[in-house]
Amino acid sequence: MRIAIVPGDGVGVEVTAEAVKAIRAASEVFSLRFEYESLPWSASHYLRTGVTVPPDGYVLLSEFDAVLMGAFGDPRVPDHRHARDILLGTRFELDLFVNQRPVRLMDARLCPLKDRSPSDVDFVVFRENTEGVYAGIGGRVHVGTEWEVGVQEDLNTYAGVSRIVAHAFEYARAHGLGRVCMADKSNAMPEAHGVWQRVFRETAPRFPGIDARHLYIDALALALVQDPSQFDVIVTNNLFGDIITDLGAALQGGLGVAASANLHPGRTSMFEPVHGSAPQLAGKNVANPIGAILSAALMLDALGHTKAATALEHAVSESVRAGQGTPDIGGSLGTRETGDWIAGAITNARPEI
Ligand code: IPM
Ligand code: MN
């Protein structure tokens, strides 16, 4: 299988190296064969060449079996043009309509809420990934004057909403999860989010064993902090999913440990940590590689290598519980040393053959 690696900017470079290290360790144990190709798309590449993504770039990506990305963002590109083309462009052009972001607390010590254990914080957010306010519909006039106007439309199509809501329910059913919560803001945005209401009303009855609940997004934010144990699967739009998964990252120990999969089932999909490029941490060997390694686990899982995926997850959990990690989660190891520890744990957990 061929994997494209797009490390990107800042700490993205460091954490993807550790993710590849973990995949290599698992490949040894489970006799998997991967070829890696690194693509240079990044702020530096853009500043040097004027190119964010080459003209055939998205087609090139779609010819790989999967894409592993690092992070994008650089103070030298203040309008984030390359980040939009590389990250959002890939989501849109490859039609990766599912943004799956698991929220799983690995050690009670990492939860900012009091008296919460790993069994209380274990849910998955499905964020719609191709529509909403990210669709890029809008514009600005009279820029720089007192009459400046900015408009950005919230795009919600019946087809687009249907496929993500159905995906969330199907995931719940396939994983034996009994509760799906859909969050929108249909009280204040009855037109745009009326589509979500209709889809939810039509979809839920097709999954009779599953408790289907609706919350407005503000109420969901409250509930996630008050009692995260009431959630198994959450499905919401692009923007709300973006926001609520940062909250989710906090519940499980911070941005450094949060992982994501950008999926179009059956097609080339893309995997990336939830965190950004953290320029202030770049090159210092301090960034937490766990978000990237868990994203690699999601990739292995999507490629059908379930055991290898589980091996990565177990090794990461082990490292967290043993305190063998980076300073953001209370450890004293560097990025590379954390990656080494995790790769070692994968190798040592060699299954009896
Ligand atoms: C994320 C990020 C991106 C998003 C940014 C970098 C455009 O915050 O993946 O969550 O908003 O989707
Ligand atoms: Mn985000």
Side-chain angles (χ1 to χ4, degrees):
M1 290 208 152
R2 293 174 64 237
I3 312 292
I5 314 280
V6 191
D9 307 320
V11 302
V13 178
E14 295 160 81
V15 298
T16 45
E18 301 315 312
V20 171
K21 199 184 271 176
I23 302 170
R24 283 192 200 278
S27 305
E28 276 281 308
V29 175
F30 297 95
S31 311
L32 309 176
R33 284 209 43 196
F34 291 109
E35 277 173 29
Y36 307 91
E37 194 171 317
S38 192
L39 302 174
W41 310 346
S42 60
S44 300
H45 178 260
Y46 171 51
L47 292 169
R48 202 168 55 243
T49 63
V51 174
T52 56
V53 174
D56 59 347
Y58 303 117
V59 175
L60 179 80
L61 284 187
S62 70
E63 286 164 354
F64 286 88
D65 293 289
V67 182
L68 187 64
M69 287 194 176
F72 303 90
D74 187 303
R76 294 171 301 166
V77 187
D79 67 356
H80 306 293
R81 166 113 199 263
H82 71 296
R84 275 206 309 282
D85 286 0
I86 301 167
L87 187 63
L88 301 184
T90 298
R91 291 178 185 166
F92 277 69
E93 296 301 319
L94 273 62
D95 197 29
L96 307 176
F97 67 94
V98 178
N99 194 326
Q100 177 181 342
R101 295 185 160 182
V103 177
R104 197 163 55 82
L105 178 64
M106 290 178 281
D107 189 331
R109 165 177 75 79
L110 298 185
C111 191
L113 307 178
K114 63 178 184 306
D115 303 330
R116 290 293 172 190
S117 66
S119 62
D120 293 323
V121 184
D122 188 2
F123 59 92
V124 52
V125 179
F126 288 101
R127 162 185 178 187
E128 201 293 323
N129 215 25
T130 55
E131 303 194 337
V133 294
Y134 284 71
I137 303 173
R140 234 172 339 155
V141 290
H142 309 310
V143 177
T145 74
E146 280 189 53
W147 310 105
E148 181 162 338
V149 178
V151 173
Q152 195 127 21
E153 296 292 346
D154 187 8
L155 176 77
N156 296 269
T157 69
Y158 180 70
V161 176
S162 295
R163 64 181 181 173
I164 186 69
V165 171
H167 185 88
F169 275 99
E170 278 155 15
Y171 180 94
R173 186 163 62 190
H175 292 81
L177 301 171
R179 298 168 296 183
V180 173
C181 174
M182 186 276 275
D184 64 17
K185 192 64 189 169
S186 51
N187 50 354
M189 303 174 67
E191 314 311 337
H193 295 179
V195 180
W196 286 79
Q197 288 293 315
R198 173 187 164 197
V199 167
F200 195 59
R201 233 179 11 249
E202 289 178 4
T203 310
R206 289 175 23 217
F207 299 84
I210 294 176
D211 172 51
R213 175 183 186 196
H214 168 259
L215 284 177
Y216 297 121
I217 188 67
D218 49 348
L220 175 62
L222 175 90
L224 277 175
V225 174
Q226 284 183 332
D227 180 15
S229 73
Q230 61 191 294
F231 299 103
D232 291 330
V233 172
I234 293 169
V235 60
T236 189
N237 69 39
N238 209 338
L239 180 63
F240 297 167
D242 177 46
I243 298 166
I244 221 75
T245 55
D246 263 36
L247 199 162
L251 296 180
Q252 59 185 323
L255 272 177
V257 302
S260 82
N262 298 259
L263 309 165
H264 185 125
R267 292 201 206 159
T268 301
S269 295
M270 183 267 277
F271 304 82
E272 38 136 13
V274 176
H275 66 72
S277 59
Q280 73 285 4
L281 305 181
K284 296 188 177 151
N285 194 39
V286 295
N288 193 337
I290 284 180
I293 295 172
L294 292 177
S295 301
L298 290 170
M299 180 181 87
L300 291 171
D301 191 52
L303 292 173
H305 302 304
T306 322
K307 283 185 182 160
T310 308
L312 260 63
E313 281 166 14
H314 282 170
V316 166
S317 297
E318 227 184 290
S319 79
V320 169
R321 282 195 298 270
Q324 300 292 322
T326 46
D328 58 306
I329 54 168
S332 57
L333 297 185
T335 308
R336 282 190 297 276
E337 292 69 27
T338 302
D340 289 342
W341 200 97
I342 291 168
I346 294 168
T347 307
N348 292 331
R350 214 170 258 284
E352 53 293 344
I353 304 163

